[in-house]
Amino acid sequence: YQRRVRGKQLACTRCMKNYHLTCLNPPLYKPPRGDWTCHQCTNSGTTNRANQVSSTSRNPKNRTGRSRKEVVDMRQRRPSTYNHDLCASLLDELKNHDCAWPFLSPVDRHQFPEYYKYIKHPMDFETCTRKLEGNKYATNEDLLRDVRLIFNNCHKFNEDESEVGQAGLALSCYFEKRYSETFRR
């Protein structure tokens, strides 16, 4: 994968997560030259996501040598990796944030039919809440992925300067900070 900059975002070349330049610590005002890795990947030594995807798609066993079913079973046996109350509290905090209004419920198909042409995996806080209440999350990271999907979809569909784009940027930065504070590793 190549370093990708879209608008004011920068993608980590290892985990491919997008970061707003101004949300980084310290904030960046111009994208760096060449490959860039986020702070988490630099500290943890995460392998390239492209290698992970290609190796797991060729082999039904993942990089730990376990099948996908075994990994799911392990998640169910490890309650320490999931804290329902903290996830619910964090989600409520996000829903009550001033910038949450565009993400509270699914995008209206009749009002924005083109949204579903561009966004193949829509997500919103109402759906996250249903999944949380239905015990669909096995780990804290499952909630993290869904919330990040909300902001990635927002960035794909909305201009950064638009009202919704600005709300997504602000709430994304707030969420990343609160998630790291809530679920310290």
Side-chain angles (χ1 to χ4, degrees):
Y1 284 95
Q2 286 285 345
R3 173 184 63 95
R4 235 182 51 209
V5 178
R6 183 170 177 217
K8 296 176 186 170
Q9 285 195 349
L10 181 63
C12 174
T13 53
R14 288 189 181 172
C15 66
M16 297 307 295
K17 291 180 187 165
N18 288 329
Y19 293 85
H20 291 100
L21 295 176
T22 55
C23 292
L24 296 170
N25 189 8
L28 298 176
Y29 299 98
K30 293 192 305 188
R33 293 176 188 236
D35 290 345
W36 177 83
T37 55
C38 67
H39 181 70
Q40 286 179 321
C41 290
T42 302
N43 289 342
S44 70
T46 303
T47 58
N48 188 317
R49 186 169 139 197
N51 293 339
Q52 291 174 1
V53 170
S54 64
S55 67
T56 56
S57 61
R58 286 190 304 258
N59 187 347
K61 301 224 179 224
N62 67 14
R63 65 188 181 307
T64 63
R66 293 186 175 95
S67 70
R68 289 184 184 109
K69 185 177 180 342
E70 289 172 318
V71 170
V72 170
D73 290 342
M74 277 182 48
R75 282 182 179 173
Q76 292 169 350
R77 283 181 274 162
R78 290 187 325 193
S80 62
T81 62
Y82 177 66
N83 187 321
H84 182 274
D85 293 338
L86 284 178
C87 285
S89 174
L90 182 58
L91 192 54
D92 285 341
E93 199 175 318
L94 287 173
K95 292 189 302 189
N96 290 318
H97 192 279
D98 290 341
C99 295
W101 58 271
F103 314 109
L104 294 174
S105 58
V107 173
D108 186 331
R109 285 185 185 275
H110 299 295
Q111 190 175 3
F112 300 102
E114 67 280 1
Y115 180 83
Y116 292 92
K117 292 177 187 173
Y118 295 101
I119 305 301
K120 299 304 177 198
H121 303 286
M123 185 55 61
D124 58 89
F125 292 142
E126 184 180 311
T127 304
C128 289
T129 302
R130 269 199 314 273
K131 289 176 77 171
L132 188 68
E133 290 170 354
N135 296 316
K136 301 293 184 192
Y137 294 126
T139 66
N140 301 328
E141 288 77 20
D142 292 342
L143 174 66
L144 172 69
R145 275 190 288 280
D146 276 352
V147 174
R148 282 184 174 158
L149 179 59
I150 292 170
F151 301 128
N152 286 339
N153 289 347
C154 173
H155 180 71
K156 275 185 198 172
F157 190 74
N158 299 285
E159 296 290 328
D160 285 345
E161 294 77 26
S162 71
E163 194 175 6
V164 174
Q166 289 294 311
L169 174 63
L171 195 57
S172 173
C173 292
Y174 177 78
F175 168 71
E176 292 296 334
K177 179 180 178 216
R178 287 295 297 128
Y179 184 88
S180 65
E181 291 170 355
T182 304
F183 300 107
R184 286 199 165 97
R185 294 180 189 214

